[in-house]
Amino acid sequence: MTAAGEYVDVVIVGAGLSGIGAGYRVQTELPGKSYAILEARESLGGTWDLFRYPGVRSDSDMFTLGYPFEPWRDAKSIADGPSILRYITETARRHGIDEKIRFGTKVVAAQWSSAASRWTLTVRQGAETRTLSCRFLYSCAGYYDYDQGHAPDFPGVEDFSGTMVHPQFWPADFDYTGRKVVVIGSGATAVTLVPAMAEQAEQVTMLQRSPTWISAVPGRDKRADRIRELLPPKLAHRVIRIKNILFNVGFYQYCRRRPQAARALLTGLTTRILKDEKLVAEHFTPEYNPWDQRLCAVPDADFFKAMRKGKAEVVTDHIDTFVPEGIRLKSGRVLQADAVVSATGLKLLAFGGISLEVDGVPVELSDRFVWQGTMLTGVPNFAVCIGYTNASWTLRADLTSRLVCKVIAHMDRRGYPAVAPEPETGLDERPLLDLAAGYIQRSIGDFPRQGDRHPWKVRQNYLLDSATTLRTNLDKTLKPVRRTPVLQNV
């Protein structure tokens, strides 16, 4: 960063998947605007640079998780973390976005002044604190806490003689070769870790309190391969992207509208792989319906294959206490463990934990409503990037970035110094993220709310959003925020 008090038109917080995409949209759709991407860490990539645990991968296909403007060229549709990080890095370099990133720069506070129609950001660079001002602030920091994960209070954990590891902070020197490992959890991280660790460990046990819906998916999309053989890269990427969007939206709607049929389909597919109806009924048939929580995808059935080889098992039980040799369960069984991995979920943190003020008044996020899944009531020239819970994050992230560009262009045409969304009538509040997952339920009360109708409802349907988001009438619900006069003492 240069001198204190520097001004840029748009500040993007976070250089992860969505932040790099936001940079591309700002520089292509608002070519006359200056922008900077402020990244708290020393490297780009966000989640895909932070997570280094074995087997880390996407749980969405890369034709929809990737950018619409940058074709995914790798062979695998469900990609590993290093491949995704390489894709993000190459995209940033190819379009010159990496030159706009300021690493080691954490935004800790943002104060809006209606008199100046600007945000003043307090940023921390190492031991130094500086300021930077901008007209529009766009948070692409996601909603996970990068500094700490969810850490349950396990009884007796201090007695355990083995190694305890959290996936978010995976030790580079952790060697589990030939060791017995227990992975606590049943979400996407756990089902990724189990087959990856089973390749070297003596035995890997996934300990879950209750089953999760897990579905085997092809790691490589044969239809996509054929399309890429026939069409140029950009056109092929577009066609495959549309194909996958239609399939994913259709399958989600099928699960929500015909839950019993979806349950039978998923359990049938798992039974076909494991060839054990009792095992599937006990460990892979949740009480909740598919997509009440996010569905866990396992590419090429690697999780189930590890079980069939005898290298992995699933235990459904509750922890009584840790003991020196492992974990004693409520049933009385003791799981022998040389190492325990606590894949118990992430901790949420709203939009990078930035402290917001508007004209000297702190912003309580839980008092605000989200407009178009993007801007907050009563907070001028501020937007957040919130991805889908039932589809690839980037689908909504890219729509949001394009909408932000449209809002800024709208302000320029109208001569507005600032805008903020304002509902015409009262709204019935609902949680921002409507999923029953524990990591969401623990912290969702600290987040803004969604309303009961469009454009205040955060829809989980890309087809609807793509047809309406960029066609919305901005004059109807975005209200100009005029400069207020600065009173002089006389």
Side-chain angles (χ1 to χ4, degrees), residues 327-346:
I327 302 174
R328 187 170 68 226
L329 306 176
K330 294 287 188 181
S331 63
R333 179 182 175 184
V334 174
L335 296 179
Q336 301 288 329
D338 300 305
V340 172
V341 181
S342 177
T344 50
L346 301 167

Side-chain angles (χ1 to χ4, degrees), residues 271-398:
T271 302
R272 189 181 307 168
I273 297 169
L274 291 177
K275 304 185 186 306
D276 189 330
E277 291 186 9
K278 182 179 178 181
L279 180 68
V280 172
E282 184 175 355
H283 300 300
F284 299 104
T285 307
E287 294 183 1
Y288 66 89
N289 288 325
W291 278 114
D292 283 352
Q293 298 183 30
R294 192 174 175 94
L295 194 70
C296 290
V298 291
D300 297 324
D302 60 358
F303 177 86
F304 300 123
K305 288 177 180 177
M307 292 184 63
R308 291 184 62 181
K309 290 178 181 178
K311 295 284 290 182
E313 70 167 330
V314 174
V315 174
T316 304
D317 206 332
H318 287 68
I319 295 173
D320 178 38
T321 186
F322 274 68
V323 292
E325 65 273 23
I327 302 174
R328 187 170 68 226
L329 306 176
K330 294 287 188 181
S331 63
R333 179 182 175 184
V334 174
L335 296 179
Q336 301 288 329
D338 300 305
V340 172
V341 181
S342 177
T344 50
L346 301 167
K347 185 175 181 181
L348 299 191
L349 180 67
F351 320 132
I354 302 172
S355 173
L356 298 175
E357 289 186 5
V358 173
D359 293 328
V361 179
V363 174
E364 292 292 336
L365 293 177
S366 59
D367 293 338
R368 310 292 170 166
F369 283 91
V370 175
W371 171 83
Q372 294 280 9
T374 305
M375 297 181 71
L376 307 184
T377 51
V379 185
N381 289 18
F382 176 73
V384 297
C385 186
I386 305 169
Y388 289 111
T389 57
N390 69 338
S392 294
W393 174 277
T394 317
L395 291 176
R396 175 178 272 146
D398 187 63

